[in-house]
Amino acid sequence: MMLLANCGAFHRIKAPRETYSRVVHGQPLTVGAGLITTSPGRFRQRSETLWQIPLILELSHPEWDSSFFSQSTRYVNLVKMNKPKMATEKGVPSNSRVLMLLGQLEKMNGDSMGRDAETARQVTAKILHLIQTQERSGKEVMSKGSSGMEVILASLENFQDLQTTLNILYILSELLTVGRGRRVGVFVSKGGTGILFQLLITASKELPPSEELMLQLHSLLAKVGPKDRKFGVKSRLSGALNITVNIMKQNLQNAKLLLPCLQVLRVYSTNSVNAISLGKNGVVELMLKIVAPYSKKNTSLHKVALDALGALLKSKANARRAVDGGHVPVLLLLYLDWHRNDTRHRHMLIRKGLLVCLRNITNIKLGRKAFVEGDGMRILYNTSTECLPVRTLDPLVNTSSLIMRKCFPKNRLPLPTIKSVFHHPLPHIPPAGPVAQLYNQPPGVDDVVDESDDNDETEGDTENDTENEEDEKYQRSLNDDIETDLNKLHPKKSPSRPLEELRVYERFFLELSEDFQEYNFECSKSASTPLSSSLSLSASSTRCTRPIVVPTAQALPPKHCPISSSQEDCKPTKRQQTQQSQSAPTSTPPAPLTPLELDTIHLTKDQDKKGKAPIPSWDRHTALSSLTRPASLGQKVEQELVHVLECVSLEEEGMLNSEAEIRGVSQEGSPVHATRHIQSPLLLGGISTRRVGGGGSNWGSDCGSEGAEDEGGEGAVLEVPDTARLLALHDPDLYVEMVKGTQSVPQYAEVAYPDYFGHVAPTFREPLLERIYGVQRSKIFQDIERLIHPNDIIDKVVYDLDISSCPVIEDDGESLKFNSQFESGNLRKAIQVRKYEYDLVLNSDINSNHYHQWFYFEVSGMRVGSTYRFNIINCEKSNSQFNYGMQVLMYSVQEAISGRPCWVRTGMDICYYKNHFARSSIAAGGQKGKSYYTLTFSISFNHKDDVCYFAYHYPYTYSTLKMHLSKLEDSRTPQIYLRQDVLCETLGGNSCPLLTITAMPESNSNDHICQFRNRPLIFLSARVHPGETNASWVMKGTLEFLMGTSPLAASLREAYIFKIVPMLNPDGVVNGNHRCSLSGEDLNRQWQNPNPELHPTIFHTKSLLQYLAHIQRAPLVFCDYHGHSRKKNVFMYGCSMKETIWQSNTSATSSDLQEDLGYRALPKILSQIAPVFSMASCSFVVERSKESTARVVVWREIGVQRSYTMESTLCGCDQGKYKGLQISTRELEEMGAQFCVALLRLKRLTGLRNHQHLLDLESDLIGTQSKVVSCPTTYVMEEDEPSFLEAIDYSAESNDEDAEPENEQGSEVHEIPDHLDQVSDSESNHRV
């Protein structure tokens, strides 16, 4: 016996040996150990066998009483328990019952005369029930090879009976609900969408239309629409759009029918044409009637209505319609209402829907204006601030932030013109290009901002969407950029210039004809090489007689001086004493105080109590002579005496309000023996001081005022570390001499402390800065506060180079002081916006109106314990490694004087994002609506009244290069052949040095001279882009290694002749440019056709290479050192015809694909020995946009197979032993040395006696990894960093013309051995 629930009553029945149970819809049944839970039209079964028997059939078992069943039950479900054998009904298997019914339906479709409405209802009802109650039935209908869907759709099209139609719609709804993705696709492919639209049109003609039919039709359309790509077109052509809209208008209070109609409307609106049509039909206004203030009822209806409205408002026409209708304030008030009442944040999607509507409206100019006028900035700012503590509300905060940034009124960059504040006249103007446009610009044209800096172009839906879209666009452009013209990939066969024209360059290759007959090899002390160029380099200093301010000041010595010195030496005068050189020009740069001229300055170091002879000072003539002849023994002794700690005399003050004045030292006696004490600009004990001549550091007044004389106070003495002892190639005195020979457009008269003291790489590690979640958002909100609370903004200019007479503005001591008037400095303007926040504007490259990235400036007057924020507001690149762990560099003078003279990575809350300053179309290459980007960082200073310098990367000035070259020449040994030539003079009057380095021959015998002359050449260059200072540090490492005394260095010199141009763009470096020379052009885009007047360094460097090609001595390797701002690690770009053809899918002959794989050898070796080098980031594809770069031109025109650009990161490494660390000068110099080691290994691999052996070795070296397919996207720029949790406006649009293609692929990392000398060649080959 068992209990059976039926219509609320329990019945006791007798059962045979098998137990049966009846299941009634909606009633739970307990059957043995199994539990069957039923629901209307459905049930769930556990371990029973189920089949259905219609009521109209006679029960087969004699003990069943048919009167038992209720009239209200349409079906009987018989459950046979624990019987494995499947029962049958009239010989038909139960699992094919649905197919039998579909067969009946198909026959009825084919026989129009036999269509019986009642039978169709019954059959469709049975099919519905089977699909509702058996999952297997639905699978049978949708199985492959089944015609079930065609039968159902044909029936829907043929039968006119309402109940039959509803049953079929119910069937479709059940089928498409489960596994909707594939099943909906089948439905669409069978033409189901069109049948539904046709049925919708037919049903709408009935008056009144069936509500249930409309409900089911729209529910199905809502499921099908997103999967049908032509859904919008079909709906418009069929006329279904208006039908849905009319039904909505007639049923605004019927939420049950309104909901599916809104769901369909949401899909309709994704089609732009439909959206415009619906807008004309008043649907935007209709949606706003449906969207209501906060209510707990019909929240699903509100959500779908807002989604539909948001889709409609993507159309500009609908957005204008919403603005004209005054709906922007309504949406703002609705959002505010939902925000205030939704305290438990249960309806975040509704709030997000309102924000999406506002976001789409503000994609047009009128929408942004209406948003601002409706107080939208304040509303969204306040609501977003309240949402910040709740992490789950970040989507609301991010969308609000995007809207506010978009609606923030475009501001004018606070400059009179975007042209550089400095100007240099050119010999002639190029006929075309940006420089020609700059010079042909009519006077009076406002180039800072367009007449209409706003436009109606929509910005990205979200910041991440923008990034993805821009990235895809950039990748497409890179794919299009691959060179496909095989003629341009083949080397040039005809020389571009005749040999007679190039013979003038023979004088730069004396080593190829030198016979050394007059050289005494036995006397090593007399060994020397031609030094004509050293004379030329140093002689340039005689042209410069302008006053130079060193970063030191003369001061009254302490009353109790602990050193032994003459009273006469320390005797003060009331005013600073300066003497003008007799050859000095009468006109000097304007300065309130007479600058201190270096010709009259003579530094003395501490002397012990025994008393030492005075040390001769560096003046122009002694410096010149010392650079051109070996130092005598006496001079060496004197130089050793210089390497003692300097004494720094500081005046202290007893009264708080008094000021100290920098005092001079009397110039008594011979200039050679005149002495001075070096006073640090550091102030101890709260002493304030005046600054000399507007140079060096900034204290007090800089314009037209003199410091008051301090009559009292005790002095303090600090010991300053002698960086000349810490740094082998640095000498502050020599650096000053070199500065005097450097020509700059602004005629700089100051020397920056870091360049004077030098930089000692810190021994501690500097890891990549971990980005704090929400840091960018908080900075953006602080920017938005400026508009909401304008009274809190100071907006005070504290530094302005456009005021040439007095760039440092007088203040009350409440502001920081800035300065950039020194070599390589770049800061145009500083504006104090809040007490501890400053907006900084960078200067354009000279004769240009853009390229803002490099910065180098001085800050003083800070307070300890306060956090300062600096915003560089006119950056141009749309992405930066500052978003991914890179920090700015800071040099503290206080730390330097304390014994730590080094640049350190610093800064908190660093981020880089698009700002609200408009970038004019003139500066943006004709594109309108562009904005600048902001680099922001915060810092707390550790020392009161410190002098700190900030830089984009480790500075390396032209004067530093000259000093290093001079020191290298002094350190050379007799075994080294070193010659310095002046390749040419730049536009600015600076010399471009050319170095030749190799090993001296063992003797002047014919064999040794022949071996000397026939060494293969290596040609290296660097610093064509001034802002890529890391290239100079790598070059410094290369030069130091080549001039070293190690066995590896000696072997390298014996193997090659090195021709090196260490700085291709001296003018750009001197004047603080980022990318261009004084011609206003990127020199690395001039190699195809350089102009000797506008691009002299490129013209003559290319001529050197052309000469070598003519005499059949083309270099074995050409490498141009660069820096990369958007990638980590160090990597190379080379040139390969085969890889370029493969990447571009260009059809080519087999001869075109014949290529020596030797171009991969050098980077592969580097990947084994240099931990910072990444082979995976290397690319050997030739792009059209790079056809005029050094790498491509030297490869194609000179015929150098191993022609490379070596890119060094500005940020850090993500592989090897330096993984997770920011790169420092130590790693950069190490890379330069490891490049030399790689060249030595390349030499051993490329035995010139057996060229075939070279090919075999390189083929083995590369192996299977040489195939291009292993690295299919080396030419595609992909960010190598993971995305952050918060949205970052960090698009992949490239403004970096020389930013080579980027790659994200990983590669196996090979650690470099600790001792390179111990790694044998065989081991190297095996590892490679």
Side-chain angles (χ1 to χ4, degrees):
M1 303 291 292
M2 67 175 298
L3 293 178
L4 178 67
N6 179 31
C7 300
F10 289 98
H11 298 265
R12 189 181 301 274
I13 64 173
K14 291 183 179 180
R17 295 179 61 182
E18 296 86 11
T19 302
Y20 297 88
S21 66
R22 174 171 158 217
V23 179
V24 180
H25 301 307
Q27 304 297 327
L29 292 170
T30 302
V31 183
L35 175 63
I36 301 176
T37 303
T38 66
S39 60
R42 296 168 178 265
F43 74 94
R44 181 165 56 88
Q45 169 190 343
R46 294 184 183 176
S47 70
E48 291 91 6
T49 304
L50 173 68
W51 68 93
Q52 296 80 23
I53 301 177
L55 284 174
I56 58 176
L57 298 179
E58 181 180 354
L59 295 174
S60 60
H61 202 284
E63 292 190 32
W64 284 101
D65 184 2
S66 60
S67 63
F68 165 77
F69 298 100
S70 171
Q71 296 296 326
S72 62
T73 305
R74 299 183 60 187
Y75 300 105
V76 175
N77 300 327
L78 297 181
V79 180
K80 183 174 182 179
M81 303 178 59
N82 303 322
K83 183 159 184 169
K85 186 176 180 180
M86 186 177 294
T88 61
E89 176 189 352
K90 294 185 178 182
V92 180
S94 62
N95 60 356
S96 63
R97 177 64 178 162
V98 68
L99 298 180
M100 180 194 72
L101 294 173
L102 285 172
Q104 295 179 16
L105 196 61
E106 186 176 15
K107 290 180 180 179
M108 297 173 66
N109 285 333
D111 187 7
S112 59
M113 299 298 296
R115 293 176 188 169
D116 179 62
E118 185 62 27
T119 305
R121 292 175 193 169
Q122 292 178 1
V123 173
T124 53
K126 294 172 190 177
I127 296 173
L128 172 63
H129 183 74
L130 287 173
I131 293 174
Q132 287 176 334
T133 56
Q134 286 189 355
E135 183 179 353
R136 179 179 298 177
S137 298
K139 291 181 178 179
E140 290 175 0
V141 176
M142 300 301 300
S143 63
K144 293 182 179 179
S146 173
S147 59
M149 181 60 71
E150 290 91 332
V151 173
I152 293 172
L153 291 177
S155 302
L156 185 63
E157 211 170 4
N158 294 329
F159 290 106
Q160 305 299 322
D161 179 63
L162 177 61
Q163 188 59 47
T164 302
T165 302
L166 286 174
N167 287 343
I168 295 175
L169 293 177
Y170 294 145
I171 292 170
L172 289 172
S173 181
E174 291 290 334
L175 290 174
L176 301 183
T177 299
V178 181
R180 59 191 307 181
R182 188 189 67 83
R183 293 186 177 184
V184 171
V186 173
F187 176 84
V188 172
S189 65
K190 303 298 183 182
T193 307
I195 295 174
L196 291 180
F197 281 138
Q198 189 60 42
L199 185 59
L200 179 63
I201 295 170
T202 303
S204 65
K205 296 178 180 179
E206 298 180 5
L207 296 176
S210 171
E211 179 179 328
E212 181 66 15
L213 182 58
M214 290 298 179
L215 176 65
Q216 294 303 321
L217 280 171
H218 283 90
S219 297
L220 269 177
L221 287 170
K223 293 178 182 179
V224 173
K227 298 294 182 180
D228 190 347
R229 295 183 178 179
K230 298 183 179 180
F231 187 81
V233 178
K234 293 176 182 177
S235 64
R236 183 171 65 255
L237 296 179
S238 64
L241 287 178
N242 294 332
I243 294 174
T244 302
V245 173
N246 292 333
I247 293 174
M248 291 172 55
K249 290 179 179 179
Q250 297 167 9
N251 295 273
L252 287 177
Q253 304 304 319
N254 186 350
K256 182 180 179 181
L257 178 57
L258 192 59
L259 181 59
C261 291
L262 286 171
Q263 291 172 338
V264 177
L265 184 70
R266 177 175 57 188
V267 185
Y268 287 163
S269 303
T270 57
N271 182 282
S272 58
V273 179
N274 287 354
I276 296 173
S277 177
L278 290 170
K280 293 179 180 178
N281 205 8
V283 178
V284 173
E285 292 77 9
L286 182 63
M287 292 297 100
L288 290 168
K289 291 180 180 179
I290 298 173
V291 178
Y294 175 79
S295 173
K296 295 182 180 180
K297 298 180 181 180
N298 299 325
T299 55
S300 298
L301 193 69
H302 285 93
K303 168 65 175 62
V304 178
L306 286 171
D307 289 345
L309 180 59
L312 286 168
L313 292 174
K314 286 185 177 180
S315 164
K316 295 180 183 179
N318 289 339
R320 294 189 190 97
R321 193 171 285 109
V323 174
D324 295 340
H327 299 313
V328 174
V330 174
L331 289 172
L332 286 169
L333 293 177
L334 283 173
Y335 178 75
L336 188 59
D337 180 68
W338 279 90
H339 171 80
R340 289 173 177 172
N341 292 284
D342 185 24
T343 55
R344 297 188 178 182
H345 313 304
R346 294 180 176 177
H347 306 296
M348 189 183 73
L349 293 178
I350 294 178
R351 295 157 66 181
K352 177 67 180 293
L354 286 165
L355 288 176
V356 169
C357 293
L358 289 170
R359 183 193 65 188
N360 292 340
I361 289 177
T362 52
N363 280 335
I364 65 172
K365 182 178 179 180
L366 289 175
R368 293 190 283 272
K369 181 179 179 182
F371 176 85
V372 174
E373 292 176 350
D375 204 17
M377 296 292 288
R378 183 186 59 81
I379 292 174
L380 291 195
Y381 175 81
N382 292 336
T383 54
S384 299
T385 304
E386 295 171 7
C387 291
L388 283 175
V390 185
R391 186 72 172 265
T392 56
L393 298 181
D394 278 356
L396 302 181
V397 178
N398 292 336
T399 307
S400 298
S401 172
L402 180 65
I403 296 171
M404 288 186 287
R405 293 175 65 190
K406 189 164 35 176
C407 295
F408 203 114
K410 290 289 186 181
N411 288 359
R412 175 193 177 91
L413 205 62
L415 294 175
T417 176
I418 57 175
K419 298 177 185 177
S420 173
V421 70
F422 306 120
H423 175 72
H424 182 78
L426 299 178
H428 65 270
I429 309 302
V435 179
Q437 295 175 5
L438 193 72
Y439 274 83
N440 294 330
Q441 182 177 306
V445 172
D446 187 358
D447 60 353
V448 179
V449 67
D450 297 325
E451 293 181 1
S452 175
D453 60 27
D454 218 343
N455 61 13
D456 287 348
E457 291 298 324
T458 59
E459 298 188 17
D461 290 342
T462 66
E463 296 181 359
N464 283 336
D465 291 341
T466 301
E467 177 180 345
N468 294 335
E469 292 170 5
E470 295 288 353
D471 189 47
E472 292 173 1
K473 183 189 302 183
Y474 183 67
Q475 290 184 13
R476 288 195 300 269
S477 65
L478 281 173
N479 292 338
D480 297 338
D481 191 37
I482 300 177
E483 184 58 72
T484 57
D485 187 350
L486 295 181
N487 293 326
K488 292 186 177 180
L489 292 175
H490 284 289
K492 275 190 176 182
K493 296 182 180 179
S494 58
S496 56
R497 297 172 65 186
L499 180 59
E500 292 73 18
E501 186 178 333
L502 295 171
R503 286 196 182 277
V504 66
Y505 295 97
E506 186 176 4
R507 63 188 180 92
F508 294 106
F509 298 95
L510 300 178
E511 66 279 0
L512 301 183
S513 58
E514 181 67 59
D515 56 10
F516 295 95
Q517 295 303 314
E518 298 180 0
Y519 185 83
N520 186 358
F521 286 92
E522 296 180 357
C523 183
S524 60
K525 290 186 179 182
S526 62
S528 62
T529 54
L531 301 176
S532 59
S533 61
S534 298
L535 285 167
S536 301
L537 283 172
S538 301
S540 62
S541 64
T542 60
R543 297 194 305 262
C544 178
T545 56
R546 67 181 185 280
I548 303 292
V549 178
V550 293
T552 55
Q554 301 180 9
L556 186 69
K559 290 184 178 179
H560 305 285
C561 184
I563 62 173
S564 175
S565 60
S566 170
Q567 292 295 326
E568 294 181 357
D569 291 341
C570 299
K571 185 177 180 180
T573 59
K574 286 198 172 184
R575 293 199 51 160
Q576 180 183 12
Q577 302 291 327
T578 60
Q579 294 182 354
Q580 193 79 7
S581 171
Q582 294 180 358
S583 60
T586 56
S587 61
T588 60
L593 296 178
T594 306
L596 185 64
E597 187 175 354
L598 289 187
D599 286 347
T600 64
I601 295 177
H602 309 288
L603 303 180
T604 62
K605 315 301 180 188
D606 284 354
Q607 304 177 27
D608 57 28
K609 293 184 178 181
K610 294 180 180 180
K612 300 290 182 179
I615 300 174
S617 64
W618 277 94
D619 60 25
R620 257 183 250 140
H621 307 290
T622 58
L624 179 60
S625 61
S626 66
L627 292 177
T628 55
R629 67 172 184 269
S632 65
L633 181 62
Q635 288 174 326
K636 289 183 178 179
V637 172
E638 291 178 345
Q639 290 175 3
E640 288 296 324
L641 293 177
V642 174
H643 293 310
V644 294
L645 296 180
E646 301 177 4
C647 275
V648 180
S649 300
L650 294 178
E651 294 183 350
E652 290 189 0
E653 180 183 6
M655 304 299 293
L656 291 176
N657 296 329
S658 63
E659 295 182 346
E661 178 180 355
I662 300 174
R663 301 170 184 264
V665 177
S666 59
Q667 307 290 328
E668 297 181 3
S670 170
V672 174
H673 300 285
T675 62
R676 72 173 175 87
H677 289 285
I678 300 177
Q679 182 199 359
S680 165
L682 261 291
L683 302 178
L684 303 179
I687 303 174
S688 60
T689 183
R690 298 282 183 183
R691 183 175 153 211
V692 179
S697 57
N698 291 306
W699 287 282
S701 172
D702 285 285
C703 302
S705 62
E706 299 181 8
E709 180 180 351
D710 179 27
E711 299 296 341
E714 296 184 358
V717 176
L718 293 179
E719 291 185 344
V720 180
D722 188 358
T723 50
R725 180 168 288 180
L726 296 173
L727 297 169
L729 297 185
H730 188 82
D731 187 331
D733 303 336
L734 180 58
Y735 180 80
V736 171
E737 285 299 317
M738 296 304 173
V739 169
K740 294 195 295 185
T742 298
Q743 306 298 313
S744 63
V745 174
Q747 297 187 359
Y748 291 133
E750 303 178 23
V751 177
Y753 277 94
D755 304 322
Y756 179 78
F757 281 146
H759 161 72
V760 179
T763 56
F764 53 87
R765 293 189 170 189
E766 297 176 297
L768 294 169
L769 182 67
E770 184 177 354
R771 186 184 180 92
I772 302 174
Y773 180 82
V775 61
Q776 174 178 295
R777 187 171 57 196
S778 64
K779 298 298 182 183
I780 292 172
F781 273 53
Q782 291 177 23
D783 292 347
I784 294 172
E785 287 178 3
R786 300 188 188 187
L787 182 66
I788 300 174
H789 306 295
N791 294 332
D792 297 340
I793 303 303
I794 300 175
D795 200 23
K796 174 184 177 183
V797 178
V798 296
Y799 181 75
D800 191 353
L801 278 183
D802 288 288
I803 307 176
S804 58
S805 60
C806 184
V808 181
I809 312 301
E810 181 69 26
D811 73 315
D812 53 3
E814 295 297 321
S815 305
L816 292 176
K817 294 183 177 64
F818 294 84
N819 182 36
S820 62
Q821 298 180 86
F822 45 81
E823 186 175 348
S824 295
N826 190 320
L827 178 66
R828 181 170 183 169
K829 195 170 188 176
I831 304 171
Q832 185 178 17
V833 293
R834 295 184 178 95
K835 185 174 182 179
Y836 298 112
E837 182 177 356
Y838 294 82
D839 281 353
L840 309 178
V841 183
L842 303 181
N843 191 27
S844 302
D845 287 2
I846 294 178
N847 280 323
S848 173
N849 57 16
H850 57 301
Y851 298 119
H852 308 107
Q853 183 170 337
W854 168 257
F855 57 86
Y856 183 18
F857 58 88
E858 172 194 296
V859 177
S860 60
M862 64 285 293
R863 297 181 179 180
V864 177
S866 300
T867 300
Y868 291 86
R869 177 184 173 184
F870 298 100
N871 311 308
I872 299 177
I873 61 174
N874 64 332
C875 300
E876 292 176 336
K877 290 191 176 183
S878 56
N879 52 8
S880 172
Q881 285 289 322
F882 282 116
N883 270 337
Y884 298 103
M886 188 167 80
Q887 294 176 280
V888 298
L889 285 154
M890 186 185 79
Y891 191 103
S892 166
V893 175
Q894 178 88 350
E895 291 290 322
I897 290 180
S898 300
R900 295 175 292 277
C902 60
W903 287 95
V904 294
R905 302 276 186 173
T906 189
M908 307 170 294
D909 300 340
I910 300 177
C911 52
Y912 187 95
Y913 56 89
K914 185 183 295 184
N915 60 30
H916 54 273
F917 289 101
R919 188 179 176 195
S920 68
S921 58
I922 297 176
Q927 301 180 15
K928 292 187 176 182
K930 292 292 183 179
S931 298
Y932 286 102
Y933 290 79
T934 290
L935 164 63
T936 180
F937 61 94
S938 301
I939 187 169
S940 297
F941 297 99
N942 296 325
H943 305 287
K944 182 181 180 181
D945 291 328
D946 196 357
V947 179
C948 294
Y949 291 78
F950 292 94
Y952 179 68
H953 197 67
Y954 300 95
Y956 191 101
T957 66
Y958 173 62
S959 297
T960 300
L961 172 67
K962 294 193 295 181
M963 175 187 66
H964 284 168
L965 295 182
S966 176
K967 298 289 286 185
L968 282 173
E969 184 175 336
D970 291 342
S971 66
R972 77 180 183 279
T973 63
Q975 292 76 30
I976 301 176
Y977 181 98
L978 169 65
R979 190 177 73 251
Q980 292 189 40
D981 295 304
V982 176
L983 177 62
C984 62
E985 190 173 90
T986 65
L987 282 174
N990 293 298
S991 299
C992 179
L994 169 66
L995 305 181
T996 303
I997 302 175
T998 187
M1000 292 288 292
E1002 295 183 17
S1003 69
N1004 53 13
S1005 66
N1006 290 337
D1007 291 343
H1008 289 156
I1009 296 299
C1010 182
Q1011 189 275 339
F1012 174 85
R1013 294 177 179 177
N1014 290 319
R1015 294 169 186 168
L1017 278 82
I1018 304 292
F1019 204 107
L1020 306 178
S1021 62
R1023 207 66 184 281
V1024 69
H1025 294 143
E1028 297 169 5
T1029 59
N1030 47 355
S1032 283
W1033 288 101
V1034 175
M1035 178 59 76
K1036 179 176 181 286
T1038 296
L1039 291 174
E1040 286 191 37
F1041 185 89
L1042 286 175
M1043 295 297 294
T1045 58
S1046 69
L1048 282 176
S1051 299
L1052 188 63
R1053 292 191 296 266
E1054 293 170 359
Y1056 298 111
I1057 297 174
F1058 286 87
K1059 307 296 288 191
I1060 302 174
V1061 184
M1063 190 170 285
L1064 280 167
N1065 192 352
D1067 289 343
V1069 172
V1070 170
N1071 293 285
N1073 286 5
H1074 169 62
R1075 197 170 190 84
C1076 299
S1077 68
L1078 292 186
S1079 68
E1081 297 170 296
D1082 182 351
L1083 291 182
N1084 203 36
R1085 293 297 184 277
Q1086 311 302 325
W1087 278 80
Q1088 274 190 323
N1089 188 26
N1091 185 288
E1093 293 183 336
L1094 296 178
H1095 325 116
T1097 60
I1098 304 301
F1099 177 83
H1100 294 292
T1101 303
K1102 183 178 180 181
S1103 297
L1104 293 178
L1105 292 163
Q1106 289 173 326
Y1107 172 77
L1108 289 174
H1110 267 290
I1111 64 173
Q1112 306 300 314
R1113 294 295 301 273
L1116 177 68
V1117 172
F1118 172 86
C1119 190
D1120 190 18
Y1121 291 1
H1122 281 254
H1124 207 291
S1125 65
R1126 294 184 299 171
K1127 290 187 67 177
K1128 294 182 173 67
N1129 310 312
V1130 179
F1131 47 93
M1132 275 183 164
Y1133 295 115
C1135 301
S1136 166
M1137 178 186 299
K1138 182 187 296 183
E1139 296 195 28
T1140 305
I1141 291 173
W1142 283 351
Q1143 295 285 18
S1144 61
N1145 295 321
T1146 304
S1147 58
T1149 63
S1150 58
S1151 60
D1152 292 327
L1153 298 177
Q1154 294 296 324
E1155 186 174 40
D1156 183 1
L1157 295 176
Y1159 63 88
R1160 276 182 171 260
L1162 184 59
K1164 192 64 180 179
I1165 295 172
L1166 282 171
S1167 70
Q1168 305 304 312
I1169 67 174
V1172 299
F1173 193 88
S1174 171
M1175 186 67 186
S1177 298
C1178 296
S1179 173
F1180 304 94
V1181 175
V1182 179
E1183 303 91 349
R1184 294 189 184 96
S1185 61
K1186 306 297 190 298
E1187 64 180 4
S1188 58
T1189 61
R1191 165 175 61 98
V1192 178
V1193 170
V1194 172
W1195 171 71
R1196 181 169 177 255
E1197 297 186 17
I1198 310 300
V1200 179
Q1201 181 196 32
R1202 297 178 180 86
S1203 179
Y1204 306 104
T1205 296
M1206 187 164 72
E1207 301 275 359
S1208 301
T1209 179
L1210 293 165
C1211 178
C1213 300
D1214 59 7
Q1215 65 164 36
K1217 69 177 183 180
Y1218 300 129
K1219 182 178 181 179
L1221 300 178
Q1222 298 185 74
I1223 202 163
S1224 71
T1225 56
R1226 179 178 285 104
E1227 288 77 51
L1228 293 171
E1229 292 183 49
E1230 178 187 81
M1231 184 65 231
Q1234 287 162 340
F1235 181 81
C1236 294
V1237 176
L1239 288 174
L1240 185 58
R1241 294 192 175 184
L1242 180 68
K1243 176 66 168 71
R1244 294 172 183 175
L1245 287 175
T1246 57
L1248 299 180
R1249 297 180 181 178
N1250 189 347
H1251 188 65
Q1252 184 59 43
H1253 182 59
L1254 158 66
L1255 300 182
D1256 295 339
L1257 279 175
E1258 291 183 351
S1259 297
D1260 294 339
L1261 174 75
I1262 298 161
T1264 57
Q1265 296 186 12
S1266 65
K1267 297 179 181 178
V1268 184
V1269 293
S1270 66
C1271 190
T1273 58
T1274 53
Y1275 61 92
V1276 177
M1277 183 269 182
E1278 296 177 3
E1279 292 303 330
D1280 54 355
E1281 304 87 2
S1283 58
F1284 290 103
L1285 295 178
E1286 70 172 322
I1288 298 176
D1289 190 352
Y1290 187 66
S1291 64
E1293 175 190 356
S1294 173
N1295 291 329
D1296 186 0
E1297 292 85 354
D1298 215 38
E1300 298 277 2
E1302 302 190 16
N1303 170 39
E1304 196 177 9
Q1305 296 187 357
S1307 65
E1308 182 182 358
V1309 177
H1310 301 273
E1311 294 290 341
I1312 179 175
D1314 294 335
H1315 306 286
L1316 294 175
D1317 298 3
Q1318 298 176 2
V1319 181
S1320 66
D1321 294 337
S1322 60
E1323 291 173 341
S1324 172
N1325 297 343
H1326 177 69
R1327 291 172 57 200
V1328 173

